[in-house]
Amino acid sequence: MFRVGSRAACIACRSLVSTNMGVRFRIPLQKLHPLSRAIHHRYSGNGNPQRPPHRTAARYFTSMSRLPVRPPKPPPGSGGHSYQQQRNFLVARLAARLLKLRYILLGTAVGGGYTAKKTYEEWKDMLPDFSEYNWVIPDFVWDLSEQIDLDKLAKALPEREELAKLLPDFDKIGENFSFLKNLLSSETSGDSPLRAPGSSASASQDVSDKQYKKTTDKEKIDQLQEELLHTQLKFQRMLERLEKENKELRKVVLQKDDKGIHQRKVKKSLIDLYSEVLDILSDYDANYNTQDHLPRVVVVGDQSAGKTSVLEMIAQARIFPRGSGEMMTRSPVKVTLSEGPHHVAIFKDSGREFDLTKEEDLAALRHEIELRMRKSVKEGQTVSSETISLSVKGPGIQRMVLVDLPGVISTMTAGMALDTKETIFSISKAYMQNPNAIILCIQDGSVDAERSIVTDLVSQMDPQGKRTIFVLTKVDLAEKNLASPSRIQQIVEGKLFPMKALGYFAVVTGKGSSAESIESIKDYEEDFFQNSRLLRDGMLKAHQVTTKNLSLAVSDCFWKMVRESVEQQADVFKASRFNLETEWKNNYPRLRELDRNELYEKAKNEILDEVISLSQVTPQHWEAMLQKRLWERVSTHVIENIYLPAAQTMDSGTFNTTVDIKLKQWTDKQLPNKALEVAWETLQEEFARFIAEYKGKDQDDIFDKLKEAVKDESIKRHKWNERAMDSLRVIQHNALEDRSITDKPQWDAAIQFMEETLQSRLKDTESMIRDMVGPDWKQRWMYWKNRTPEQHIRNETKNELERLLKLHDDHTAYLANDEVTTVRKNLEGRSVEVDPVLIKDTWHQLYRRHFLQKALSHCNLCRRGFYYYQRHFVDSELECNDVVLFWRIQRMLVITANTLRQQLTNTEVRRLEKNVKEVLDDFGEDMEKKTHLITGRRVQLAEDLKKVREIQEKLEAFIEALHKEK
């Protein structure tokens, strides 16, 4: 591992060695620690104007610099020079070649030894400085010699003898010098025969000697190159072994720390702090507006270009769902990579850890990611902008935050939404337009470059290429399929695409099998590049290949961008916080800053208090409301379908029989249902009444919409106990079967109930008749009102039917057909055309009024009829069976109300309270519902204040930790 060119040992070497030439050999793949410095823009400035920037970087950070393969050819032609001049010139050439080879060998020895020493020092610098962690590591760690074999580690370090073995074999070099010296001396001793002028045999012999010497020199140089390559491979294996032991030691320390052996609390890692800030920003601003300019690595590429495979290689686990040519990434996936003792993955909103070393956990993780993606996609859509947040930790993983985006498509297929292509472009642009986002542009090397879509998109978002890293995937297929490998060189040099990039990389992500492990892919990638002619012929440089080098470069660029921009972003959020706090003080000076979740909790407690208040309603209040509402619901049925038909009978026996039959039918079919409906409506109204009353007590009107929604949803979910109907039917049937009135107060109560009911019905009937016939003469004269033609016909029909009722006071409830005809002909005689249906309808209202008036008169007569009732109306013309009917109805109402009240207070109120709690819990988990129900500028302002404060605090903690790490 030596350098040739501008760093040659002396002035003579510089004159003999070309700075643009190098040695070709098979290249081992090693970790190039300062690799990020090798990423330069093609057009960036450089201190050395005589060397392109990328070549300078490659020479400085890689051991792949090439030595001259052969010396430049001497100028042809012998012209007018003498043979002696030719001979002297040949001797000078050989001497120059010998001197050149000597300095090459000396430079090899010196440079190799210096490079070995420098690499060893760099490895020593990589070891953690345990003195900085004295407060973390317990005392027993200082006795690690008892637990870790430090002697073995010390023995693994190279000794002076081993370093001496790494140097070239100077004995062989001496032999080569002796061989060249003898060759030169033999050439000098044979001058006289070679000087024979005009000898054709001597000329041919001279040409053959030159060819032999050239062949011999080339073989020696190739032999030296092979020795140097073996030396480098040996030293590289030693470095890899030491690096592996170093990683194991770090893993042991992290495991001890992870188990919590020490008593002090371990602070969060730097990348975890930064990831938390990004998660908060993602929740704060789902649309990813220009306020969020914090860096992250955005992975974009055409569909099936290998984006996810590159991400998996960086994360060192096959964590993403895989498909054959179909769209698998349906929403952005934010992956936070960090170092840890165990290789695990965990979602932001879940506590489960997936062990990435176990295949069953990997399968479960892929399934969970697929489920979350499908859940985030709304109905009728193909992709979603909702971000899935995932953290991956493991030994040796580079710290960074990457966002895997859906692949860019050119054509929509069957089953996709019509706006899928535009949605993917919109999501990609939203992430890439962040001026501090690093764009990882993935290009499929196995397809024609002209088919790429993503390169045009990236060049639009980053035309100068200051934050773009280009990655060419499937290079193995590209080398196999392309007729001209130089096309790959054009791609990685940025000469084929119009886009510019900060750096160019070529990677291999496996053979295309979903069953491949990460280790097998790494081995395949390393074997491919070691044997690839792309590296042997200098088309690709060592720092441009393998996902390991890519990971190192991206991580360094990411942290560089973070350090440059994070403090500026913190200042932006500090100014935003000041503006929001000023607005709150001016508009809501007497209110606390409660965000949406805090307001929801406050409203939840108030609603639950209101539900509990239902249990404080007195039994008398419940029964009075239930009895009143139930009678309002069933009174029409009792009058029209039970009392009125039974009253048409001729004797009391038939009356009672008709009543019993109709009450039995009513109890079996309708009455229990009506009673439960009334009870449920009463409970709803009381619940609404308590909410309305509570609202007046300095209640915040911002909760009105939420309370109404909770009330409606709770009532909708509440269902009355089905078994209550059967028991209620039995109770009501038994109550209606009882005809015994035990005392005069009960009789008087029944009379009063009957009278109030009949008067109410009579009042309603008279109101309906007035509406039918229109204003009377008094209203027409005093209020200038007129009847409509229909009302005039109704009035004439009413007058005719009233005359009929006066003639037949005991008329039945229905008109006979001949009576309808008579009324119609009488009206036609007065030039009033009337329809038979109108006659019957008018008769129904008139007869009801006539019947109610007679029933009221009979009710007054029965006030003193309790004595006759006790004697079963024997020897009495007065019969008060209708009073007994109303007493039975009244008693049924009282018993039903009492039964419903017990069911309400003992069961249904508690069930309603339970339903309200469930509704509140469901609403609390539905952020969209809460946003819809608790809204307004005050809420939004409090939300923004909370988020901005949290973001600022997290950013300040991150910046403090970042400065400490520096």
Side-chain angles (χ1 to χ4, degrees):
M1 301 179 63
F2 58 91
R3 301 181 183 88
V4 182
S6 60
R7 297 179 180 271
C10 62
I11 302 299
C13 294
R14 294 181 184 175
S15 64
L16 293 175
V17 181
S18 173
T19 59
N20 294 326
M21 302 181 65
V23 179
R24 300 180 184 178
F25 51 88
R26 297 176 61 193
I27 301 173
L29 304 178
Q30 67 270 18
K31 182 174 181 181
L32 306 175
H33 301 291
L35 186 62
S36 62
R37 306 178 200 170
I39 301 180
H40 292 281
H41 196 281
R42 314 195 267 126
Y43 301 99
S44 63
N46 196 294
N48 187 1
Q50 301 184 10
R51 180 179 299 165
H54 65 276
R55 185 181 294 274
T56 302
R59 286 184 174 278
Y60 188 80
F61 292 108
T62 178
S63 60
M64 305 304 175
S65 303
R66 305 188 307 195
L67 290 173
V69 177
R70 60 182 66 180
K73 295 180 180 180
S78 57
H81 297 82
S82 65
Y83 188 79
Q84 180 63 35
Q85 291 174 335
Q86 294 178 3
R87 187 66 176 177
N88 293 337
F89 183 72
L90 180 61
V91 171
R93 285 174 55 205
L94 290 175
R97 182 180 300 172
L98 182 60
L99 290 173
K100 185 176 182 179
L101 183 61
R102 180 182 65 183
Y103 282 115
I104 289 175
L105 296 175
L106 291 175
T108 301
V110 174
Y114 174 74
T115 305
K117 179 181 179 182
K118 183 177 180 181
T119 306
Y120 175 67
E121 294 296 333
E122 288 180 356
W123 172 82
K124 286 176 62 179
D125 293 339
M126 286 176 55
L127 288 175
D129 187 3
F130 293 106
S131 62
E132 297 181 3
Y133 300 96
N134 291 340
W135 64 275
V136 175
I137 303 176
D139 295 337
F140 79 92
V141 176
W142 306 114
D143 302 327
L144 281 177
S145 58
E146 300 177 2
Q147 304 179 20
I148 302 174
D149 193 356
L150 298 179
D151 295 335
K152 181 179 178 182
L153 182 63
K155 291 178 181 179
L157 297 176
E159 301 292 342
R160 287 183 297 177
E161 293 78 4
E162 294 182 0
L163 290 175
K165 293 179 181 178
L166 296 177
L167 297 177
D169 192 348
F170 290 102
D171 295 336
K172 292 185 178 180
I173 294 174
E175 294 176 2
N176 293 331
F177 275 111
S178 300
F179 170 77
L180 292 175
K181 183 177 181 181
N182 294 333
L183 178 63
L184 184 61
S185 62
S186 63
E187 182 179 343
T188 306
S189 62
D191 280 347
S192 56
L194 291 173
R195 293 184 182 185
S199 175
S200 60
S202 298
S204 63
Q205 180 64 31
D206 186 40
V207 172
S208 63
D209 289 343
K210 291 179 181 180
Q211 291 177 352
Y212 172 75
K213 291 169 185 175
K214 291 179 181 179
T215 304
T216 304
D217 293 344
K218 186 176 185 305
E219 289 178 354
K220 293 297 181 180
I221 292 174
D222 291 342
Q223 183 179 0
L224 291 174
Q225 289 178 350
E226 289 295 331
E227 291 180 3
L228 180 60
L229 178 61
H230 289 307
T231 302
Q232 287 180 331
L233 288 175
K234 183 178 180 181
F235 189 70
Q236 177 63 26
R237 283 193 291 269
M238 183 181 295
L239 284 178
E240 290 178 353
R241 186 178 71 252
L242 294 175
E243 183 181 9
K244 184 176 180 180
E245 292 180 359
N246 180 28
K247 186 185 294 184
E248 291 296 327
L249 180 59
R250 287 171 59 86
K251 183 176 180 180
V252 169
V253 175
L254 289 171
Q255 284 177 339
K256 298 295 183 182
D257 182 72
D258 187 61
K259 291 178 181 178
I261 296 177
H262 59 82
Q263 298 298 322
R264 296 190 180 183
K265 183 178 179 181
V266 180
K267 295 182 179 180
K268 292 184 179 180
S269 65
L270 197 62
I271 190 64
D272 289 336
L273 290 173
Y274 186 75
S275 180
E276 285 182 0
V277 175
L278 295 182
D279 288 336
I280 298 170
L281 278 174
S282 177
D283 297 336
Y284 171 63
D285 186 10
N287 295 324
Y288 195 87
N289 66 13
T290 54
Q291 286 185 337
D292 182 8
H293 288 168
L294 290 175
R296 68 263 282 159
V297 181
V298 180
V299 186
V300 296
D302 299 327
Q303 183 178 338
S304 302
K307 298 185 292 75
T308 302
S309 299
V310 171
L311 236 132
E312 288 180 333
M313 291 292 290
I314 295 175
Q316 301 181 15
R318 307 299 297 269
I319 58 177
F320 291 102
R322 295 187 284 274
S324 179
E326 60 177 321
M327 179 183 292
M328 298 305 298
T329 305
R330 296 180 178 270
S331 64
V333 181
K334 182 178 77 70
V335 183
T336 303
L337 301 178
S338 59
E339 190 175 18
H342 306 288
H343 202 185
V344 295
I346 185 171
F347 289 99
K348 178 188 72 172
D349 55 352
S350 173
R352 178 184 177 183
E353 282 191 352
F354 296 87
D355 189 349
L356 302 184
T357 61
K358 299 180 180 179
E359 186 56 38
E360 56 269 19
D361 278 22
L362 279 172
L365 176 61
R366 290 192 290 266
H367 181 66
E368 179 67 19
I369 292 176
E370 186 174 3
L371 287 179
R372 287 173 179 255
M373 285 185 180
R374 297 189 180 278
K375 184 179 179 181
S376 67
V377 177
K378 297 181 180 179
E379 186 176 357
Q381 299 294 319
T382 306
V383 294
S384 168
S385 61
E386 183 178 339
T387 304
I388 298 173
S389 184
L390 178 70
S391 295
V392 177
K393 298 183 179 182
I397 295 180
Q398 297 300 316
R399 303 177 302 169
M400 68 185 92
V401 177
L402 304 102
V403 182
D404 186 21
L405 300 180
V408 179
I409 61 175
S410 58
T411 305
M412 291 183 297
T413 58
M416 288 186 177
L418 297 178
D419 61 343
T420 300
K421 181 178 178 181
E422 290 75 15
T423 303
I424 294 175
F425 270 87
S426 175
I427 295 173
S428 301
K429 287 182 179 179
Y431 276 89
M432 288 191 292
Q433 71 184 4
N434 177 3
N436 295 321
I438 299 171
I439 303 173
L440 199 61
C441 179
I442 309 297
Q443 170 64 33
D444 189 350
S446 64
V447 300
D448 296 335
E450 290 76 12
R451 294 169 56 185
S452 175
I453 306 173
V454 70
T455 52
D456 293 336
L457 180 61
V458 172
S459 62
Q460 293 175 12
M461 306 308 297
D462 184 25
Q464 300 301 321
K466 295 182 179 179
R467 52 189 181 90
T468 300
I469 297 177
F470 181 87
V471 182
L472 185 67
T473 62
K474 306 178 185 179
V475 182
D476 52 341
L477 299 178
E479 184 184 36
K480 179 180 179 182
N481 298 334
L482 288 179
S484 176
S486 61
R487 191 173 177 85
I488 298 177
Q489 184 179 7
Q490 289 180 319
I491 294 175
V492 296
E493 289 180 355
K495 298 178 180 179
L496 190 63
F497 293 111
M499 61 169 285
K500 300 176 183 179
L502 193 66
Y504 297 82
F505 287 86
V507 300
V508 174
T509 55
K511 301 179 181 179
S513 173
S514 60
E516 288 182 286
S517 66
I518 294 296
E519 293 300 326
S520 63
I521 295 175
K522 284 183 178 179
D523 295 339
Y524 173 72
E525 183 183 43
E526 184 172 346
D527 292 341
F528 168 77
F529 283 117
Q530 282 183 350
N531 301 315
S532 173
R533 60 194 179 107
L534 296 173
L535 277 179
R536 290 200 308 268
D537 297 344
M539 297 181 184
L540 294 177
K541 297 177 176 58
H543 69 271
Q544 291 181 306
V545 299
T546 73
T547 50
K548 184 176 182 180
N549 289 344
L550 170 65
S551 175
L552 289 167
V554 174
S555 177
D556 285 346
C557 288
F558 168 76
W559 285 108
K560 180 181 178 183
M561 188 73 77
V562 168
R563 290 185 175 93
E564 292 176 352
S565 61
V566 68
E567 293 188 0
Q568 180 182 359
Q569 293 301 308
D571 293 338
V572 171
F573 283 104
K574 185 176 181 180
S576 177
R577 173 179 177 176
F578 176 78
N579 295 336
L580 293 173
E581 288 177 343
T582 303
E583 182 180 355
W584 183 274
K585 291 177 182 178
N586 292 334
N587 295 320
Y588 312 101
R590 297 173 180 245
L591 296 176
R592 288 193 301 134
E593 298 171 6
L594 299 179
D595 62 9
R596 183 172 282 108
N597 290 331
E598 292 170 337
L599 287 171
Y600 183 81
E601 290 300 320
K602 181 179 178 182
K604 178 179 178 180
N605 294 330
E606 291 183 2
I607 293 173
L608 292 176
D609 290 342
E610 294 162 8
V611 176
I612 294 175
S613 299
L614 286 173
S615 60
Q616 301 176 0
V617 178
T618 61
Q620 294 80 5
H621 182 73
W622 279 119
E623 292 181 13
M625 288 191 302
L626 290 169
Q627 186 174 345
K628 178 182 177 182
R629 294 182 182 280
L630 181 59
W631 177 238
E632 290 175 354
R633 185 66 61 87
V634 302
S635 60
T636 301
H637 180 83
V638 171
I639 299 297
E640 300 291 335
N641 298 328
I642 299 177
Y643 179 46
L644 186 59
Q648 305 299 316
T649 58
M650 302 302 296
D651 52 61
S652 60
T654 309
F655 178 90
N656 291 330
T657 302
T658 303
V659 166
D660 291 341
I661 293 174
K662 291 188 176 294
L663 287 177
K664 182 68 168 60
Q665 294 174 350
W666 184 42
T667 306
D668 291 340
K669 296 180 180 180
Q670 299 179 10
L671 183 57
N673 291 328
K674 295 289 184 183
L676 292 181
E677 290 176 5
V678 167
W680 179 220
E681 291 173 2
T682 304
L683 181 60
Q684 295 178 36
E685 291 181 6
E686 283 297 297
F687 182 33
R689 181 176 68 85
F690 274 100
I691 291 179
E693 289 179 356
Y694 204 93
K695 188 188 303 182
K697 301 176 181 179
D698 299 328
Q699 177 63 24
D700 197 338
D701 57 0
I702 203 170
F703 300 144
D704 292 350
K705 197 172 182 180
L706 173 63
K707 290 184 176 182
E708 191 67 23
V710 171
K711 183 193 74 173
D712 295 341
E713 183 65 23
S714 302
I715 291 172
K716 181 180 178 181
R717 294 187 185 185
H718 187 85
K719 293 183 179 179
W720 208 275
N721 191 356
E722 296 179 355
R723 292 178 297 177
M725 184 178 296
D726 297 331
S727 60
L728 184 62
R729 180 181 292 109
V730 174
I731 293 173
Q732 290 173 336
H733 186 271
N734 293 334
L736 291 172
E737 283 291 325
D738 188 7
R739 298 186 183 89
S740 58
I741 304 176
T742 57
D743 53 18
K744 185 68 167 59
Q746 291 182 355
W747 181 267
D748 293 338
I751 292 291
Q752 183 180 359
F753 175 61
M754 178 179 176
E755 186 176 20
E756 291 175 353
T757 302
L758 295 177
Q759 287 177 350
S760 175
R761 303 299 297 181
L762 179 60
K763 183 178 180 180
D764 294 340
T765 303
E766 289 179 344
S767 177
M768 293 180 65
I769 293 174
R770 284 196 300 270
D771 293 338
M772 290 172 57
V773 300
D776 56 9
W777 66 269
K778 183 177 180 180
Q779 291 176 331
R780 290 199 302 273
W781 280 99
M782 294 184 65
Y783 301 106
W784 295 88
K785 293 182 179 180
N786 294 319
R787 290 173 177 165
T788 62
E790 183 180 357
Q791 290 176 339
H792 177 71
I793 295 173
R794 291 269 189 183
N795 184 60
E796 294 295 332
T797 305
K798 177 183 79 73
N799 294 333
E800 186 67 27
L801 291 174
E802 285 179 343
R803 284 193 289 269
L804 179 62
L805 276 175
K806 289 181 180 180
L807 295 174
H808 304 283
D809 187 62
D810 295 330
H811 201 286
T812 59
Y814 303 99
L815 283 174
N817 292 332
D818 56 345
E819 292 176 325
V820 174
T821 304
T822 302
V823 171
R824 185 167 61 85
K825 287 187 176 295
N826 293 338
L827 292 173
E828 288 177 354
R830 294 198 296 270
S831 302
V832 178
E833 295 292 335
V834 65
D835 187 74
V837 177
L838 187 143
I839 296 173
K840 292 181 179 180
D841 185 44
T842 307
W843 168 260
H844 178 70
Q845 299 299 332
L846 291 175
Y847 181 81
R848 180 187 295 173
R849 184 181 64 179
H850 175 70
F851 171 77
L852 293 173
Q853 290 173 347
K854 289 178 62 178
L856 277 172
S857 301
H858 183 70
C859 180
N860 290 327
L861 293 175
C862 289
R863 287 184 183 276
R864 58 182 185 276
F866 180 70
Y867 171 76
Y868 299 102
Y869 166 76
Q870 289 179 323
R871 299 180 57 187
H872 304 289
F873 300 104
V874 177
D875 299 330
S876 173
E877 295 180 358
L878 182 64
E879 293 184 357
C880 296
N881 294 310
D882 48 358
V883 177
V884 177
L885 169 63
F886 276 92
W887 182 83
R888 295 167 67 182
I889 298 295
Q890 186 183 34
R891 187 168 182 272
M892 181 274 298
L893 292 175
V894 172
I895 293 176
T896 301
N898 181 268
T899 304
L900 293 175
R901 188 266 306 167
Q902 293 181 18
Q903 193 168 357
L904 279 171
T905 55
N906 296 336
T907 306
E908 301 304 328
V909 170
R910 289 198 297 269
R911 291 183 64 225
L912 178 62
E913 182 179 353
K914 182 180 178 182
N915 288 338
V916 171
K917 289 181 179 179
E918 292 176 354
V919 171
L920 288 170
D921 291 340
D922 293 344
F923 284 4
E925 296 174 358
D926 190 346
M927 194 62 198
E928 184 177 352
K929 180 78 73 175
K930 285 198 296 187
T931 304
H932 174 69
L933 295 177
I934 302 179
T935 185
R937 178 56 188 165
R938 168 186 157 194
V939 181
Q940 191 60 45
L941 188 58
E943 284 281 304
D944 293 346
L945 264 173
K946 178 184 177 183
K947 291 295 183 183
V948 168
R949 284 183 182 135
E950 187 177 9
I951 292 169
Q952 185 187 0
E953 291 171 0
K954 295 287 185 182
L955 277 175
E956 289 176 352
F958 171 75
I959 292 171
E960 182 181 356
L962 188 65
H963 289 164
K964 288 182 179 179
E965 187 179 72
K966 287 181 181 179

